[in-house]
Coordinates of all heavy atoms in Angstrom, one line a residue:
M1 N 86.6 98.2 101.7 CA 86.5 96.7 101.7 C 85.1 96.3 101.4 O 84.9 95.2 100.9 CB 87.0 96.2 103.0 CG 88.5 96.5 103.4 SD 89.7 96.0 102.1 CE 89.5 94.2 102.1
A2 N 84.2 97.1 101.7 CA 82.8 96.7 101.4 C 82.5 96.6 99.9 O 81.7 95.9 99.5 CB 81.8 97.8 102.0
H3 N 83.3 97.4 99.1 CA 83.2 97.3 97.7 C 83.4 95.9 97.1 O 82.8 95.5 96.1 CB 84.1 98.3 97.0 CG 83.7 99.7 97.1 ND1 82.4 100.1 96.9 CD2 84.4 100.8 97.4 CE1 82.4 101.4 97.0 NE2 83.6 101.9 97.3
V4 N 84.3 95.2 97.8 CA 84.6 93.8 97.3 C 84.0 92.7 98.1 O 84.3 91.6 98.0 CB 86.2 93.6 97.3 CG1 86.8 94.5 96.2 CG2 86.8 93.8 98.6
G5 N 83.0 93.1 98.9 CA 82.2 92.1 99.6 C 82.7 91.7 101.0 O 82.2 90.8 101.6
S6 N 83.7 92.4 101.5 CA 84.3 92.1 102.8 C 83.4 92.7 103.9 O 82.9 93.8 103.7 CB 85.7 92.6 102.9 OG 86.5 91.9 102.0
F7 N 83.4 92.1 105.1 CA 82.7 92.6 106.2 C 83.4 93.9 106.7 O 84.6 93.9 106.9 CB 82.6 91.6 107.3 CG 82.1 92.1 108.6 CD1 80.7 92.4 108.7 CD2 82.9 92.3 109.7 CE1 80.2 92.9 109.9 CE2 82.3 92.8 110.9 CZ 81.0 93.1 111.0
V8 N 82.7 94.9 107.0 CA 83.2 96.1 107.6 C 82.5 96.3 108.9 O 81.3 96.5 109.0 CB 82.9 97.4 106.7 CG1 83.5 98.6 107.3 CG2 83.6 97.2 105.3
P9 N 83.3 96.2 110.0 CA 82.7 96.3 111.3 C 82.3 97.7 111.8 O 83.0 98.3 112.5 CB 83.8 95.7 112.3 CG 85.0 96.1 111.6 CD 84.7 96.0 110.1
A10 N 81.2 98.2 111.2 CA 80.7 99.5 111.5 C 79.2 99.5 111.4 O 78.6 98.8 110.7 CB 81.3 100.5 110.5
E11 N 78.5 100.3 112.3 CA 77.1 100.4 112.2 C 76.7 101.2 111.0 O 75.6 100.9 110.4 CB 76.6 101.1 113.5 CG 76.7 100.3 114.7 CD 76.1 101.0 115.9 OE1 75.3 101.9 115.8 OE2 76.5 100.6 117.1
R12 N 77.5 102.1 110.5 CA 77.2 102.8 109.3 C 78.5 103.4 108.8 O 79.5 103.6 109.5 CB 76.2 103.9 109.5 CG 76.6 105.0 110.4 CD 75.4 106.0 110.6 NE 75.5 106.4 112.0 CZ 75.3 107.7 112.4 NH1 74.9 108.5 111.5 NH2 75.5 108.0 113.6
A13 N 78.5 103.7 107.5 CA 79.7 104.2 106.9 C 79.4 104.9 105.6 O 78.4 104.5 104.9 CB 80.7 103.1 106.6
T14 N 80.1 105.9 105.2 CA 79.9 106.6 103.9 C 81.1 106.1 103.1 O 82.2 106.4 103.3 CB 80.0 108.1 104.1 OG1 79.0 108.5 105.0 CG2 79.8 108.8 102.8
I15 N 80.7 105.4 102.0 CA 81.7 104.8 101.1 C 81.6 105.5 99.8 O 80.6 105.4 99.1 CB 81.5 103.3 101.0 CG1 81.6 102.6 102.4 CG2 82.6 102.7 100.1 CD1 81.2 101.2 102.4
G16 N 82.6 106.2 99.4 CA 82.6 106.9 98.1 C 82.8 105.9 97.0 O 83.2 104.8 97.1
L17 N 82.6 106.4 95.8 CA 82.8 105.7 94.6 C 84.3 105.5 94.3 O 85.1 106.4 94.6 CB 82.2 106.3 93.4 CG 80.7 106.5 93.4 CD1 80.2 107.2 92.2 CD2 80.0 105.1 93.5
T18 N 84.7 104.4 93.8 CA 86.1 104.2 93.4 C 86.1 103.9 91.9 O 85.2 103.3 91.4 CB 86.7 103.0 94.2 OG1 86.0 101.8 94.0 CG2 86.8 103.3 95.7
D19 N 87.2 104.3 91.3 CA 87.4 104.0 89.9 C 88.1 102.7 89.6 O 88.0 102.1 88.6 CB 88.0 105.2 89.1 CG 89.4 105.5 89.6 OD1 89.8 105.0 90.7 OD2 90.0 106.3 89.0
K20 N 89.0 102.3 90.6 CA 89.7 101.1 90.5 C 90.2 100.6 91.9 O 90.3 101.5 92.8 CB 90.9 101.2 89.6 CG 91.9 102.2 89.9 CD 93.0 102.4 88.9 CE 92.5 103.3 87.8 NZ 93.4 104.1 87.1
I21 N 90.3 99.4 92.1 CA 90.9 98.8 93.3 C 92.2 98.1 92.9 O 92.2 97.2 92.1 CB 89.9 97.8 93.9 CG1 88.6 98.5 94.3 CG2 90.5 97.1 95.2 CD1 87.5 97.5 94.7
L22 N 93.3 98.6 93.5 CA 94.6 98.0 93.2 C 95.1 97.3 94.5 O 94.9 97.8 95.6 CB 95.6 99.2 92.9 CG 95.1 100.1 91.7 CD1 95.9 101.4 91.8 CD2 95.3 99.4 90.4
T23 N 95.7 96.1 94.3 CA 96.1 95.3 95.4 C 97.6 95.0 95.2 O 98.1 94.8 94.1 CB 95.4 94.0 95.6 OG1 95.5 93.2 94.4 CG2 93.9 94.3 95.8
R24 N 98.3 94.9 96.3 CA 99.7 94.4 96.4 C 99.7 93.5 97.6 O 99.9 93.9 98.7 CB 100.6 95.6 96.6 CG 101.9 95.6 95.8 CD 103.0 94.7 96.3 NE 103.2 94.5 97.7 CZ 103.9 93.5 98.1 NH1 104.5 92.7 97.3 NH2 104.1 93.3 99.4
I25 N 99.5 92.2 97.3 CA 99.4 91.2 98.4 C 100.7 90.6 98.9 O 101.1 90.7 100.0 CB 98.4 90.1 98.0 CG1 97.0 90.8 97.6 CG2 98.2 89.2 99.2 CD1 96.3 91.6 98.7
A26 N 101.4 90.0 97.9 CA 102.7 89.4 98.3 C 103.6 89.3 97.1 O 103.1 89.3 95.9 CB 102.4 88.0 98.8
T27 N 104.9 89.3 97.3 CA 105.8 89.3 96.2 C 106.1 87.8 95.8 O 106.4 87.0 96.6 CB 107.1 90.0 96.7 OG1 106.8 91.3 97.0 CG2 108.2 90.0 95.5
Q28 N 106.1 87.6 94.5 CA 106.5 86.3 94.0 C 108.0 86.4 93.8 O 108.5 87.1 93.0 CB 105.8 86.1 92.6 CG 104.4 85.8 92.7 CD 104.1 84.5 93.3 OE1 103.7 84.5 94.5 NE2 104.2 83.4 92.6
E29 N 108.7 85.5 94.6 CA 110.1 85.5 94.5 C 110.6 84.6 93.4 O 109.9 83.7 93.0 CB 110.7 85.0 95.8 CG 110.4 85.9 97.0 CD 111.0 85.4 98.3 OE1 112.2 85.0 98.2 OE2 110.4 85.5 99.3
T30 N 111.7 85.0 92.7 CA 112.2 84.3 91.6 C 113.7 84.4 91.6 O 114.2 85.5 91.9 CB 111.6 84.7 90.3 OG1 112.2 83.9 89.2 CG2 111.8 86.2 90.0
V31 N 114.4 83.4 91.2 CA 115.9 83.5 91.0 C 116.3 84.0 89.6 O 117.4 84.3 89.4 CB 116.5 82.1 91.3 CG1 116.3 81.7 92.8 CG2 116.0 81.1 90.4
S32 N 115.3 84.1 88.7 CA 115.6 84.5 87.4 C 115.8 86.0 87.3 O 116.4 86.5 86.3 CB 114.5 84.1 86.4 OG 113.3 84.7 86.7
K33 N 115.4 86.8 88.3 CA 115.6 88.3 88.3 C 116.7 88.6 89.1 O 117.0 88.0 90.2 CB 114.3 89.0 88.8 CG 113.1 88.9 87.8 CD 112.0 89.7 88.3 CE 110.8 89.7 87.4 NZ 109.7 90.5 87.8
V34 N 117.5 89.6 88.7 CA 118.6 90.0 89.5 C 118.3 91.2 90.4 O 118.9 92.3 90.4 CB 119.8 90.4 88.5 CG1 121.1 90.5 89.3 CG2 119.9 89.4 87.4
Q35 N 117.1 91.1 91.1 CA 116.6 92.1 92.0 C 116.3 91.5 93.3 O 115.9 90.4 93.4 CB 115.4 92.8 91.4 CG 115.6 93.5 90.1 CD 114.3 94.1 89.6 OE1 113.3 93.4 89.6 NE2 114.3 95.3 89.1
S36 N 116.5 92.3 94.4 CA 116.1 91.8 95.7 C 114.5 91.9 95.8 O 113.8 92.5 95.0 CB 116.6 92.8 96.8 OG 116.0 94.0 96.7
T37 N 114.0 91.1 96.7 CA 112.6 91.1 97.0 C 112.1 92.5 97.3 O 111.0 92.9 96.9 CB 112.2 90.1 98.1 OG1 112.8 88.8 97.7 CG2 110.8 89.9 98.3
F38 N 112.9 93.2 98.1 CA 112.5 94.5 98.5 C 112.4 95.5 97.3 O 111.4 96.3 97.2 CB 113.4 95.1 99.6 CG 113.0 96.4 100.1 CD1 111.9 96.5 100.9 CD2 113.8 97.6 99.8 CE1 111.5 97.8 101.4 CE2 113.4 98.8 100.3 CZ 112.2 98.9 101.1
M39 N 113.3 95.3 96.4 CA 113.3 96.2 95.2 C 112.0 95.8 94.3 O 111.4 96.7 93.8 CB 114.5 95.9 94.3 CG 114.6 96.9 93.2 SD 114.7 98.6 93.7 CE 114.7 99.4 92.2
I40 N 111.7 94.6 94.2 CA 110.4 94.2 93.5 C 109.2 94.8 94.2 O 108.3 95.3 93.5 CB 110.3 92.6 93.4 CG1 111.5 92.1 92.6 CG2 109.0 92.2 92.9 CD1 111.6 90.6 92.7
D41 N 109.2 94.7 95.6 CA 108.1 95.4 96.3 C 108.0 96.9 96.0 O 106.9 97.4 95.7 CB 108.3 95.2 97.8 CG 108.0 93.9 98.4 OD1 107.5 93.0 97.6 OD2 108.3 93.6 99.6
L42 N 109.1 97.6 96.0 CA 109.1 99.0 95.7 C 108.6 99.3 94.3 O 107.9 100.2 94.0 CB 110.6 99.6 95.8 CG 111.1 99.7 97.3 CD1 112.5 100.2 97.2 CD2 110.2 100.6 98.1
Q43 N 109.0 98.5 93.3 CA 108.6 98.7 91.9 C 107.1 98.4 91.8 O 106.4 99.2 91.1 CB 109.3 97.7 91.0 CG 110.8 98.2 90.8 CD 111.5 97.2 89.9 OE1 111.2 96.0 89.8 NE2 112.6 97.7 89.3
Q44 N 106.5 97.4 92.5 CA 105.1 97.2 92.5 C 104.3 98.4 93.1 O 103.3 98.8 92.6 CB 104.8 95.9 93.2 CG 105.3 94.7 92.5 CD 105.0 93.4 93.3 OE1 104.7 93.4 94.4 NE2 105.2 92.3 92.6
I45 N 104.8 98.9 94.2 CA 104.2 100.0 94.8 C 104.2 101.3 93.9 O 103.3 102.0 93.8 CB 104.8 100.4 96.2 CG1 104.5 99.2 97.2 CG2 104.2 101.6 96.8 CD1 103.1 98.9 97.5
A46 N 105.4 101.5 93.3 CA 105.5 102.6 92.4 C 104.6 102.5 91.2 O 103.9 103.5 90.8 CB 107.0 102.7 91.9
L47 N 104.4 101.3 90.7 CA 103.4 101.1 89.6 C 102.0 101.4 90.0 O 101.2 102.1 89.3 CB 103.6 99.7 89.0 CG 102.6 99.4 87.8 CD1 102.8 100.3 86.6 CD2 102.7 97.9 87.4
A48 N 101.7 100.9 91.2 CA 100.3 101.1 91.7 C 100.0 102.6 92.0 O 99.0 103.1 91.6 CB 100.1 100.3 93.0
M49 N 101.0 103.3 92.5 CA 100.9 104.7 92.8 C 100.8 105.5 91.5 O 100.0 106.5 91.4 CB 102.0 105.2 93.6 CG 102.1 104.6 95.0 SD 100.7 105.0 96.0 CE 100.9 106.8 96.3
A50 N 101.5 105.1 90.5 CA 101.4 105.8 89.2 C 100.1 105.6 88.5 O 99.6 106.4 87.8 CB 102.6 105.4 88.3
T51 N 99.5 104.4 88.7 CA 98.2 104.0 88.1 C 97.0 104.6 88.9 O 96.0 104.8 88.3 CB 98.1 102.5 88.1 OG1 99.3 102.0 87.4 CG2 96.9 102.1 87.3
A52 N 97.2 104.8 90.2 CA 96.1 105.3 91.0 C 95.6 106.7 90.7 O 96.4 107.5 90.3 CB 96.5 105.1 92.5
T53 N 94.4 107.0 91.0 CA 93.8 108.3 90.9 C 93.3 108.7 92.3 O 93.4 107.9 93.3 CB 92.7 108.4 89.9 OG1 91.6 107.6 90.4 CG2 93.1 107.9 88.6
R54 N 92.7 109.9 92.4 CA 92.2 110.3 93.7 C 91.1 109.4 94.2 O 90.7 109.3 95.4 CB 91.7 111.7 93.6 CG 92.8 112.7 93.5 CD 92.3 114.1 93.4 NE 91.5 114.4 94.5 CZ 91.1 115.6 95.0 NH1 91.6 116.6 94.3 NH2 90.4 115.7 96.0
R55 N 90.4 108.7 93.3 CA 89.3 107.8 93.6 C 89.7 106.4 93.7 O 88.8 105.5 93.8 CB 88.2 108.0 92.6 CG 87.5 109.4 92.7 CD 86.1 109.3 92.2 NE 85.3 110.4 92.5 CZ 84.6 110.6 93.6 NH1 84.6 109.6 94.5 NH2 83.9 111.7 93.8
S56 N 90.9 106.0 93.6 CA 91.4 104.6 93.7 C 91.5 104.2 95.1 O 91.8 104.9 96.0 CB 92.7 104.5 93.0 OG 92.6 104.8 91.6
L57 N 91.3 102.9 95.3 CA 91.5 102.2 96.6 C 92.8 101.3 96.4 O 92.8 100.4 95.5 CB 90.3 101.4 97.0 CG 90.5 100.5 98.2 CD1 90.7 101.4 99.5 CD2 89.3 99.6 98.4
L58 N 93.8 101.6 97.2 CA 95.0 100.8 97.1 C 95.2 100.0 98.4 O 95.2 100.5 99.5 CB 96.2 101.7 96.9 CG 97.6 101.1 96.8 CD1 97.7 100.1 95.7 CD2 98.7 102.2 96.7
I59 N 95.2 98.7 98.2 CA 95.3 97.8 99.4 C 96.7 97.1 99.3 O 97.1 96.5 98.3 CB 94.2 96.7 99.3 CG1 92.9 97.3 99.3 CG2 94.4 95.7 100.5 CD1 91.7 96.4 99.0
I60 N 97.5 97.3 100.4 CA 98.8 96.8 100.5 C 98.9 95.9 101.7 O 98.6 96.2 102.8 CB 99.9 98.0 100.7 CG1 99.7 98.9 99.5 CG2 101.3 97.4 100.8 CD1 100.5 100.2 99.7
D61 N 99.5 94.7 101.4 CA 99.7 93.7 102.5 C 101.0 93.1 102.4 O 101.5 92.9 101.3 CB 98.6 92.6 102.4 CG 98.6 91.7 103.6 OD1 99.0 92.1 104.7 OD2 98.3 90.5 103.5
E62 N 101.7 92.9 103.5 CA 103.0 92.3 103.6 C 104.1 93.0 102.8 O 105.0 92.4 102.2 CB 102.9 90.8 103.1 CG 102.1 90.0 104.0 CD 102.1 88.5 103.6 OE1 102.9 88.1 102.7 OE2 101.4 87.7 104.2
F63 N 104.1 94.4 102.8 CA 105.1 95.1 102.2 C 106.4 95.0 102.9 O 106.5 95.1 104.1 CB 104.7 96.6 102.1 CG 105.8 97.5 101.5 CD1 105.9 97.5 100.1 CD2 106.7 98.2 102.2 CE1 106.9 98.2 99.5 CE2 107.6 99.0 101.7 CZ 107.8 99.0 100.3
G64 N 107.5 94.6 102.2 CA 108.8 94.5 102.8 C 109.0 93.2 103.5 O 110.0 93.0 104.2
K65 N 108.0 92.3 103.5 CA 108.2 91.0 104.2 C 109.3 90.2 103.7 O 109.9 89.4 104.4 CB 106.9 90.2 104.2 CG 106.9 89.1 105.1 CD 105.6 88.4 105.3 CE 105.7 87.3 106.3 NZ 104.4 86.7 106.5
G66 N 109.7 90.4 102.5 CA 110.8 89.6 101.9 C 112.1 89.9 102.5 O 113.1 89.2 102.4
T67 N 112.2 91.0 103.3 CA 113.5 91.4 104.0 C 113.5 90.9 105.4 O 114.4 91.1 106.1 CB 113.6 92.9 104.0 OG1 112.5 93.5 104.6 CG2 113.7 93.5 102.5
D68 N 112.5 90.2 105.8 CA 112.4 89.7 107.2 C 113.4 88.5 107.3 O 113.4 87.5 106.6 CB 111.0 89.1 107.4 CG 110.7 88.7 108.9 OD1 111.7 88.9 109.7 OD2 109.7 88.1 109.1
S69 N 114.3 88.7 108.3 CA 115.4 87.7 108.4 C 114.9 86.5 109.2 O 115.6 85.5 109.2 CB 116.6 88.3 109.2 OG 116.1 88.8 110.5
T70 N 113.7 86.5 109.8 CA 113.2 85.3 110.5 C 112.6 84.3 109.6 O 112.3 83.2 110.0 CB 112.2 85.7 111.6 OG1 111.1 86.3 111.0 CG2 112.8 86.7 112.6
G71 N 112.3 84.7 108.3 CA 111.8 83.8 107.4 C 110.3 83.4 107.6 O 109.8 82.4 107.1
Q72 N 109.6 84.3 108.3 CA 108.1 84.0 108.5 C 107.3 84.6 107.5 O 107.4 85.6 107.0 CB 107.7 84.4 109.9 CG 108.5 83.6 111.0 CD 108.1 84.1 112.3 OE1 107.2 84.9 112.5 NE2 108.7 83.5 113.3

């Protein structure tokens, strides 16, 4: 997270080099696709994993939240 300017609560850290930073923050829902939100989430993760290398940083937030029945 320090690579993108975020605060890292540590007195010291060894941060290696990254070749790319991939993010998966939230799913854009649409009625034009005949796929569930969860399926869209899975496809996005699969694409990120296929694109990532050993030096990539993959940040995932709210995975599978589209399947939450409480609507939050």
Side-chain angles (χ1 to χ4, degrees):
M1 297 305 296
H3 285 315
V4 294
S6 296
F7 173 70
V8 178
E11 290 183 22
R12 65 187 144 138
T14 302
I15 302 171
L17 296 176
T18 57
D19 60 351
K20 59 185 86 148
I21 299 173
L22 305 164
T23 62
R24 218 285 326 160
I25 303 300
T27 302
Q28 289 293 101
E29 297 183 43
T30 178
V31 294
S32 65
K33 291 187 177 181
V34 195
Q35 294 176 319
S36 69
T37 304
F38 186 66
M39 186 61 181
I40 295 169
D41 284 353
L42 289 176
Q43 289 177 334
Q44 290 175 349
I45 295 298
L47 178 62
M49 295 297 291
T51 307
T53 67
R54 292 179 55 159
R55 291 206 168 271
S56 298
L57 173 64
L58 178 56
I59 301 170
I60 302 169
D61 187 28
E62 297 187 4
F63 178 77
K65 190 170 182 177
T67 60
D68 185 7
S69 61
T70 61
Q72 295 181 6

